[in-house]
Amino acid sequence: MTFRKPTGGEIDRHTLLRFTFNGVEYTGHPGDTLASALLANGVHEIGSSVKLGRPRGIVAAGSEDPTSLVQIEAPFPEPMLLATTVELYDGLVARGLAGQGRLAPEPDPARYDAKHEHCDVLVVGAGPAGLVAALTAARSGARVVLLDEQNQAGGALLGVDEYLDDRPSAEWVGDIVAELRTTPGVLVLERTTAFGMYQDGFVLALQKRTDHLGFAAPAGVARQRVWRIRTKQTVLATGAHERPVVFADNDRPGIMLASSARTFLHRYGVLPGSRAVVFTTNDSAYCAAIDLAESGVDIALIADARPDAPARLATECAARGIEVRAGQVVTGTEGPGRVTAVSIGDTRIECDTLLVSGGWNPVVSLFSQARGKLRYDTELGAFVPGEELDTVRAAGSATGELDLNACARQGREAGSAAAAAAGFTPGGQVPLPVSDSRCTSRSGLVVWRVPGADDASFVDLQRDSTVADVLRATGAGLRSLEHIKRYTTIGTAHDQGKTSGMIAAGIVAEALGVELAEQRPTTFRPPYTSVSFAALAGRDRGELHDPVRVTAIHPWHVANGALFEDVGQWKRPWYYPKPGEDLHTAVLRECRATRESVGMMDGSTLGKIDVQGRDAGRFLDMLYTNMMSTLKVGRIRYGVMCGVDGMVIDDGTVIRVGEERYLVTTTTGNAAKILDWMEEWLQTEWPHLDVHCASVTEHWATIPLVGPRSRDVLAAVAPDLDVSNEAFEFMTWHDTHVAGVPARVCRISFSGELAYEINVTAWYGLAVWEALMAAGEKYGITPYGTETMHVLRAEKGYPIIGQETDATVTPQDLGMSWAVSKKKPDFIGKRSFARVENNRTDRKQLVGLLPVDPTVLLPEGSQIVETDRLPEPPVRMLGHVTSSYPSAALGRTFALALVRSGHERIGETLYVPYEDSLVPVTVTDSVLYDKEGARRDG
Amino acid sequence: MTAEPTSPLAGWTDRLAALAPALIVAERPYRSQLTVRVSDPDAVAAMGSALGVAFPPVPCTFSAGSGPFGDVEVLWLGPDEFLVVAPPGLQTEIEEVLRGALGSHRGSVVDTSAQRTTVVLEGPHVRDVLAHGCSVDLHPSSAPTGTCVQTLLARTGIVLQVTGADTFTVLVRSSFAEYLAAWLSDACVEYGVAS
Amino acid sequence: MQLIPCPWCGPREEAEFHYGGQAHVAYPEDPSALTDEEWAQYVFFRENPSGPFAERWSHSAGCRRWFNAVRDTRTHDLLAVYRAGEPMPEVTS
């Protein structure tokens, strides 16, 4: 049997859409929602409740619906959507949910994006108030954005068949929208829900752009878009939601809000059932009853909780044969699933539909998010905006006003005031429409629950929370609505308590014997309606999830089979496996080649900062623990930087380029941080210093050329350079040409081997790298990655900042007292070195560890203990392994570790819990290879 | 032995060209760029006359003109910080000239030519594309031609110049250039480019 | 996303800024003359008021300039911004 009227509604009856729900095929029409199409097919049961498994139906027609949760299965799995907000499309497959859905296991093929938008006046809601507000602001010349969550403008007008100015309201809406669309600087967005309002006029809105197209959605168009709107002024014309009344057995399918039934009728041409009982506390349900009766629904009875029924409306009902009983309430319902009968006092009435109206809740969510104070309106029985904000105004039924003409007037005033506050003078006045509506009275009886309704009656249908749950909370001594919300979970479902929150507050107030006006409402928080993570992620996923930074030489690494390691946002070659090699064998090969002949790596990611000015030396003396002002032009010094707490924050080399100019290098991960650190001291503490810093990290490509044959390779590509040890000493630099390109070559080493660091303008990095590869071919030059670099430096006991250090490690802990000046009167961190804490002998200090079994590779991060048998917990941990590798040069495994009193323990045997045993290790000095430094000069 | 240069977006030339007509995108590589720190008004004026382009007096703007080094732009980067941008190959000469103009005043001149690369964007959708990732209001009333802001585009820092009615210039750190190109390509899909 | 008015670039989204903690905490003239207790006060201790609080911000993704702002810690409202080196202005919260 169909419940679709032959005419009426905003649907296209000439086009059939096929869809499947709970395994059954149905048809609907363009313009339908999944809910309206199901109702047209007589389907009221959607799913079942989350805890009790009770059947759940459709309570409302829009996003306030608490119950019609569905899982979309095709075109793409998507859980927890409301049947009332899913626009129908051909081929849709959905099923009702038992409270929870399932996420797609496969990647979502749809696109999502975000867009920033700036405006003078943002209007949320395209009902009568919002339309007039937007047009008023637009006529003043302001940049206006008008949002509405429906697929067309009109708001509450979409659910009625009333006339404005003696013509169908759709014509009035259409005229306004048409003018808005043709006004420059105005953006009108349908299917767009403002879900969060934040400081400084920042509003987030979700636009569902192609959801409604289903399988026909074009692949190139972002399915959903998060609009990031920055507005000077906002008009909230967000409307009001009808709320139910709590009574016994109030959760059966077929029990629906009266205005929602009216919406299904007028917007979709759908009847909610054949025979309906109406239960109301106010006038508005009369209009629903009359309209439904005129469309052929048998209205069995209107039970009005008020002692007297409104005379004029009662007369109209009588004229249509509708019985009205005043002072009556619903006392119970029956039905195996859907409602089959309703009890009004002693009367039992058979029906398939129960329409309920308990009054109206203005939608104040965004106003509250904007920190607007709410006020309890006793007459309305709801919270309304309680103050005027400088930049946010409410208009229309969002304020509690229900008369259309008055709503439109508020819209005009708000639009005009918002435009004026944004600096615009009024344009042509927008005329206010006159409505023929019969049901505009605000006056109703505020009833939260029917007297005598049992405690098992539902307050939050989605959370299966009952009156008993509320009373248990108040009985436990909870008084704050915030606490009761968390205790009962009322208002925490997908609908955020749009229909249940106010009722829960009312029942709490009654239970506590306090006035609602004294109660603080729960804080409204974003999002107003559900937003998928995919939409929030937008374009920031896959390869765009986080920027991938690459060096100028990157294409070569890719072409030559490098595997990459992420270092911050950089992709760095990790190692270059040859066919059949794993990490272990590749790294042993790279290490051996480098120590025995020559290797080369891409060091371009190192941070580089140009420091210039008369006071540059003085400045660097303050930043580094060692002395930089005495460094001679042409020379290089290694330096350590500490925070004011004396803990190491970075290290690197300092090159003296000129009398007043240095080039400082930082670790890869700290380049931006150290530049900020320098600027912080220069700008906030020492502005008198004549020093300027500039990042040149990406201006230079940097290539360490390492190993005993590096001198030969360099000589081959740098004919102008005297590479002899005498002419080019360790820790000096020379400007020259490498492969014909101007280059700065530094003789520094992070491996203990003879090594050069070649710096060229980044544009030439790739070409120079290739020239070096060619020149080194006869020496078996071997490109190596970060893993080999780590092994080579660890064999020499050189710490890596962030691996051997963790913001609790001093230079002394690292055994680097030699890098801490005793001559300088002050530098950052110096005073902290004198603190008692920094001089404890049991500080964790950097040492080497040699497993007694030279084949055991200790996992990095392993703890270190003192005894060969674990005592009862707590076990005293002496420290942890910071680096651990197999070493080609040592012919065994080794590790670096931070160990309590480590420097005093050299020679001791300690133990590392590893799998089920305690591995004995010998503590050694951290320098394990070439302690004499014999290899430095080749 | 002469090595050939490679620009950060050398591998993207064809892919960027394929974004037209939705967005006309092209890298302008190898431009001479110098980071200048100077605050003394005389030194600022001297530098301006040496280049034939007065330095921009207003924050978040750039100036452009022609002089001994051809078409030169001076971008405001901070209250005493500017980026001088000139045709390729002139960085060494310009550095010398600017140092001379700076004289004994406080300040610095650093060759940062390869630190950033330049991407020129043009077309009716250019503001839309940028608005997908840039929070600065680029409406002509807020960002007229001559505007130069440092801000974020998606997840990378950029220097953004408004150079004409529908033309923008983006300077991006070289290591982020491929990310920027990939992001622009993806953002253009909305405007008719195949993904 | 709050707007922070950079004294040079104007209002920008907070994502462009780095926080720098309490303002007007000068590096001690002569750290070596301080007791451990006094030095610890400088290194580790900062005010944490409920209400207006002068703090440092850097427009790190913009002009890279450090400046000061008075923020009401109860509301996050920025009551004033001023350039480094300038005294804290009178504010009403």
Side-chain angles (χ1 to χ4, degrees):
Chain A
M1 146 163 208
T2 180
F3 290 84
R4 181 87 67 186
K5 286 179 59 186
T7 57
E10 305 269 326
I11 52 163
D12 170 15
R13 285 182 178 71
H14 302 293
T15 307
L16 270 193
L17 301 177
R18 290 168 207 288
F19 69 101
T20 305
F21 184 72
N22 284 348
V24 181
E25 284 197 15
Y26 299 101
T27 59
H29 301 293
D32 263 326
T33 60
L34 176 58
S36 70
L38 287 169
L39 291 176
N41 285 282
V43 178
H44 275 251
E45 280 195 45
I46 301 298
S48 55
S49 68
V50 65
K51 281 191 294 194
L52 303 173
R54 290 171 65 95
R56 289 285 177 261
I58 296 166
V59 171
S63 63
E64 75 275 29
D65 183 48
T67 52
S68 69
L69 284 176
V70 297
Q71 165 86 37
I72 303 291
E73 298 291 8
F76 187 79
E78 197 172 5
M80 303 292 279
L81 298 181
L82 281 173
T84 56
T85 61
V86 173
E87 293 184 50
L88 194 69
Y89 46 82
D90 201 51
L92 171 70
V93 180
R95 59 182 172 86
L97 286 178
Q100 290 175 334
R102 75 171 179 98
L103 286 168
E106 66 269 30
D108 186 348
R111 301 173 60 82
Y112 299 83
D113 75 3
K115 197 171 183 192
H116 293 268
E117 182 68 32
H118 300 259
C119 63
D120 300 306
V121 179
L122 167 69
V123 180
V124 182
L131 287 169
V132 174
L135 189 58
T136 301
R139 285 184 178 176
S140 75
R143 288 164 73 187
V144 175
V145 174
L146 172 64
L147 310 178
D148 193 274
E149 71 175 349
Q150 305 286 332
N151 61 3
Q152 55 182 313
L157 295 173
L158 295 170
V160 299
D161 68 342
E162 290 158 5
Y163 275 54
L164 296 185
D165 300 336
D166 297 323
R167 55 184 184 145
S169 56
E171 290 183 13
W172 178 83
V173 171
D175 285 353
I176 292 192
V177 171
E179 181 175 342
L180 285 169
R181 286 203 193 282
T182 52
T183 306
V186 177
L187 179 65
V188 181
L189 298 172
E190 292 94 1
R191 298 185 174 96
T192 305
T193 305
F195 65 82
M197 181 146 195
Y198 307 84
Q199 259 179 313
D200 299 321
F202 189 59
V203 175
L204 290 179
L206 180 75
Q207 182 184 24
K208 296 191 170 176
R209 303 172 75 224
T210 68
D211 292 40
H212 62 290
L213 300 176
F215 290 90
V221 177
R223 176 179 180 235
Q224 298 182 354
R225 172 174 292 170
V226 174
W227 287 87
R228 306 170 63 88
I229 301 165
R230 183 72 65 177
T231 182
K232 295 191 177 81
Q233 295 284 322
T234 304
V235 176
L236 297 176
T238 44
H241 290 145
E242 194 165 28
R243 66 166 178 263
V245 181
V246 174
F247 49 82
D249 302 319
N250 59 337
D251 67 329
R252 286 201 159 78
I255 302 177
M256 187 182 281
L257 290 163
S259 64
S260 294
R262 198 178 179 208
T263 298
F264 283 118
L265 170 69
H266 292 303
R267 186 161 174 193
Y268 307 103
V270 170
L271 304 177
S274 310
R275 182 173 159 84
V277 171
V278 178
F279 171 36
T280 187
T281 64
N282 63 91
D283 287 2
S284 65
Y286 283 83
C287 280
I290 291 166
D291 288 359
L292 287 164
E294 289 181 347
S295 293
V297 178
D298 177 10
I299 304 293
L301 178 73
I302 297 178
D304 193 326
R306 293 174 288 188
D308 299 302
R312 188 174 55 81
L313 289 168
T315 309
E316 287 201 40
C317 286
R320 291 165 176 83
I322 302 171
E323 184 187 353
V324 177
R325 288 195 206 167
Q328 297 286 312
V329 298
V330 171
T331 52
T333 70
E334 296 167 34
R338 183 172 175 184
V339 64
T340 54
V342 172
S343 297
I344 311 276
D346 296 335
T347 315
R348 181 176 174 281
I349 304 160
E350 294 197 350
C351 63
D352 61 7
T353 307
L354 171 57
L355 304 179
V356 182
S357 176
W360 295 85
N361 295 333
V363 177
V364 292
S365 179
L366 294 178
F367 186 83
S368 172
Q369 288 178 27
R371 295 190 201 156
K373 282 199 178 58
L374 302 179
R375 172 179 65 80
Y376 181 68
D377 182 326
T378 321
E379 187 191 11
L380 204 61
F383 289 106
V384 296
E387 62 176 338
E388 286 234 329
L389 301 177
D390 292 342
T391 59
V392 183
R393 292 165 176 77
S397 55
T399 68
E401 180 57 66
L402 297 180
D403 175 73
L404 184 134
N405 186 269
C407 285
R409 174 172 290 109
Q410 284 187 350
R412 189 164 75 186
E413 285 163 3
S416 171
F424 296 85
T425 46
Q429 198 174 58
V430 180
L432 300 180
V434 177
S435 161
D436 68 345
S437 175
R438 309 177 180 97
C439 304
T440 58
S441 168
R442 266 167 58 92
S443 63
L445 189 63
V446 175
V447 181
W448 310 118
R449 59 169 169 159
V450 162
D454 73 41
D455 289 352
S457 312
F458 288 90
V459 177
D460 187 330
L461 271 61
Q462 175 54 27
R463 280 285 185 239
D464 274 342
S465 299
T466 61
V467 173
D469 295 326
V470 177
L471 298 180
R472 193 174 304 118
T474 55
L478 302 183
R479 299 182 68 81
S480 144
L481 292 176
E482 293 284 8
H483 294 159
I484 292 166
K485 173 179 176 177
R486 283 154 184 77
Y487 191 84
T488 61
T489 73
I490 291 172
T492 61
H494 70 278
D495 61 338
Q496 296 282 291
K498 290 182 178 67
T499 53
S500 60
M502 195 62 235
I503 290 172
I507 294 173
V508 167
E510 281 177 4
L512 295 175
V514 299
E515 293 295 321
L516 254 175
E518 330 266 276
Q519 281 278 52
R520 200 167 141 189
T522 54
T523 306
F524 291 85
R525 292 193 174 83
Y528 171 70
T529 50
S530 304
V531 180
S532 73
F533 282 104
L536 293 174
R539 187 163 275 120
D540 295 340
R541 63 180 194 175
E543 66 163 350
L544 298 177
H545 173 250
D546 198 34
V548 172
R549 300 179 69 182
V550 296
T551 72
I553 309 167
H554 188 75
W556 192 93
H557 307 318
V558 174
N560 287 273
L563 294 183
F564 291 90
E565 178 181 33
D566 290 336
V567 182
Q569 292 174 317
W570 290 98
K571 285 275 179 226
R572 298 196 69 182
W574 186 20
Y575 60 101
Y576 299 80
K578 295 202 162 175
E581 280 187 335
D582 60 7
L583 168 71
H584 178 69
T585 48
V587 169
L588 283 177
R589 173 182 53 76
E590 290 175 7
C591 285
R592 189 175 294 117
T594 304
R595 289 229 185 270
E596 291 174 4
S597 181
V598 58
M600 181 167 85
M601 81 174 299
D602 184 354
S604 304
T605 60
L606 274 184
K608 305 164 203 81
I609 301 168
D610 182 287
V611 182
Q612 284 188 46
R614 279 182 200 91
D615 298 316
R618 207 174 139 198
F619 174 61
L620 295 179
D621 279 350
M622 280 303 289
L623 286 190
Y624 284 94
T625 59
N626 41 358
M627 192 85 92
M628 294 301 172
S629 55
T630 55
L631 186 65
K632 298 217 162 19
V633 175
R635 302 201 75 90
I636 302 170
R637 191 165 285 163
Y638 170 80
V640 176
M641 268 190 210
C642 290
V644 287
D645 59 1
M647 303 302 156
V648 175
I649 57 169
D650 206 49
D651 72 345
T653 53
V654 175
I655 298 169
R656 187 146 198 178
V657 179
E659 276 307 317
E660 299 181 357
R661 189 170 188 183
Y662 294 77
L663 185 78
V664 164
T665 67
T666 75
T667 54
T668 293
N670 279 343
K673 194 174 119 186
I674 296 302
L675 181 60
D676 285 352
W677 177 246
M678 290 178 163
E679 288 289 351
E680 180 180 340
W681 286 97
L682 281 176
Q683 292 180 32
T684 69
E685 287 291 343
W686 307 317
H688 55 280
L689 291 185
D690 177 1
V691 182
H692 291 99
C693 305
S695 169
V696 288
T697 297
E698 286 144 274
H699 179 69
W700 297 100
T702 301
I703 306 170
L705 183 67
V706 182
R709 307 312 295 262
S710 59
R711 182 175 282 137
D712 301 314
V713 177
L714 180 62
V717 288
D720 306 342
L721 186 65
D722 181 347
V723 294
S724 69
N725 197 41
E726 298 69 37
F728 197 165
E729 289 177 63
F730 186 57
M731 297 304 262
T732 65
W733 60 269
H734 289 282
D735 279 349
T736 182
H737 285 79
V738 172
V741 173
R744 174 166 298 155
V745 183
C746 302
R747 233 198 98 186
I748 55 176
S749 177
F750 197 43
S751 59
E753 299 298 329
L754 173 69
Y756 301 87
E757 186 194 79
I758 297 157
N759 294 279
V760 294
T761 307
W763 303 324
Y764 293 98
L766 184 56
V768 169
W769 174 277
E770 285 171 342
L772 288 165
M773 282 302 294
E777 197 177 352
K778 60 181 162 182
Y779 306 103
I781 192 166
T782 301
Y784 68 87
T786 51
E787 191 67 17
T788 291
M789 182 259 284
H790 280 195
V791 177
L792 297 176
R793 63 85 206 178
E795 290 168 346
K796 289 291 292 179
Y798 298 148
I800 296 256
I801 304 303
Q803 181 153 345
E804 270 67 40
T805 69
D806 62 0
T808 67
V809 179
T810 65
Q812 295 85 352
D813 297 338
L814 293 174
M816 288 190 170
S817 298
W818 55 268
V820 178
S821 167
K822 298 186 179 53
K823 291 186 197 148
K824 291 194 287 186
D826 194 25
F827 56 84
I828 293 169
K830 180 181 168 80
R831 175 63 185 81
S832 286
F833 295 151
R835 293 177 68 230
V836 174
E837 180 64 30
N838 291 43
N839 287 285
R840 286 168 55 154
T841 53
D842 64 344
R843 288 186 65 81
K844 288 182 183 170
Q845 295 161 334
L846 185 69
V847 293
L849 297 181
L850 293 174
V852 172
D853 176 347
T855 64
V856 171
L857 182 65
L858 303 171
E860 290 177 355
S862 296
Q863 296 293 317
I864 297 160
V865 298
E866 195 146 28
T867 53
D868 63 353
R869 193 160 301 181
L870 283 184
E872 283 300 302
V875 181
R876 185 169 177 248
M877 301 295 175
L878 297 179
H880 68 280
V881 174
T882 57
S883 296
S884 175
Y885 312 98
S887 165
L890 303 175
R892 55 161 303 136
T893 60
F894 73 103
L896 297 177
L898 287 168
V899 178
R900 288 208 179 278
S901 311
H903 296 158
E904 289 173 15
R905 291 180 186 270
I906 287 169
E908 281 184 27
T909 301
L910 297 175
Y911 299 87
V912 174
Y914 176 35
E915 293 181 344
D916 291 331
S917 62
L918 289 175
V919 177
V921 296
T922 307
V923 182
T924 71
D925 184 70
S926 57
V927 185
L928 291 157
Y929 183 71
D930 185 30
K931 284 185 205 289
E932 314 73 35
R935 307 189 60 82
R936 192 190 78 187
D937 296 331
Chain B
M1 184 157 36
T2 309
E4 288 299 316
T6 311
S7 70
L9 290 176
W12 279 81
T13 310
D14 295 344
R15 279 176 282 177
L16 293 179
L19 300 180
L23 194 67
I24 299 161
V25 188
E27 183 188 20
R28 282 179 68 190
Y30 311 128
R31 296 205 297 171
S32 303
Q33 300 179 49
L34 296 109
T35 299
V36 178
R37 299 291 291 268
V38 58
S39 49
D40 180 85
D42 292 338
V44 171
M47 286 182 172
S49 15
L51 298 175
V53 183
F55 277 39
V58 178
C60 299
T61 63
F62 72 95
S63 53
S66 215
F69 301 100
D71 291 337
V72 171
E73 291 176 339
V74 184
L75 283 56
W76 185 95
L77 296 186
D80 66 347
E81 184 170 354
F82 303 89
L83 187 71
V84 171
V85 184
L90 302 172
Q91 54 268 39
T92 312
E93 291 168 61
I94 295 176
E95 180 173 350
E96 203 168 305
V97 163
L98 290 175
R99 275 189 194 288
L102 181 63
S104 60
H105 294 291
R106 278 175 67 142
S108 70
V109 182
V110 184
D111 176 9
T112 52
S113 300
Q115 175 82 350
R116 298 181 182 89
T117 194
T118 305
V119 180
V120 179
L121 309 176
E122 189 177 348
H125 295 302
V126 65
R127 281 187 177 76
D128 289 318
V129 170
L130 291 170
H132 288 300
C134 178
S135 68
V136 173
D137 186 4
L138 298 177
H139 191 273
S141 63
S142 293
T145 300
T147 297
C148 173
V149 291
Q150 291 165 94
T151 184
L152 298 170
L153 180 63
R155 292 173 178 263
T156 180
I158 55 162
V159 184
L160 182 67
Q161 293 173 262
V162 186
T163 52
D166 287 326
T167 56
F168 288 75
T169 296
V170 175
L171 286 86
V172 63
R173 294 274 289 258
S174 299
S175 67
F176 286 94
E178 293 204 45
Y179 167 78
L180 177 83
W183 186 90
L184 284 173
S185 302
D186 195 66
C188 281
V189 170
E190 187 73 32
Y191 304 95
V193 173
S195 60
Chain C
M1 184 70 76
Q2 190 165 8
L3 289 179
I4 296 176
C6 169
W8 301 102
C9 303
R12 296 285 185 89
E13 291 201 343
E14 62 182 287
E16 294 192 6
F17 297 83
H18 277 170
Y19 184 61
Q22 184 178 352
H24 308 298
V25 180
Y27 185 76
E29 197 70 28
D30 180 7
S32 66
L34 301 184
T35 64
D36 272 13
E37 167 65 27
E38 288 165 335
W39 178 247
Q41 281 294 331
Y42 165 72
V43 175
F44 299 114
F45 291 82
R46 293 294 182 270
E47 298 297 317
N48 183 23
S50 171
F53 184 42
E55 56 196 19
R56 303 184 309 163
W57 287 88
S58 166
H59 190 191
S60 46
C63 65
R64 302 194 303 118
R65 288 307 172 277
W66 284 91
F67 60 94
N68 297 320
V70 182
R71 179 178 60 102
D72 189 323
T73 59
R74 297 164 300 187
T75 60
H76 292 306
D77 287 339
L78 291 170
L79 307 174
V81 293
Y82 51 106
R83 293 171 183 177
E86 293 178 354
M88 177 177 160
E90 297 267 331
V91 294
T92 49
S93 59

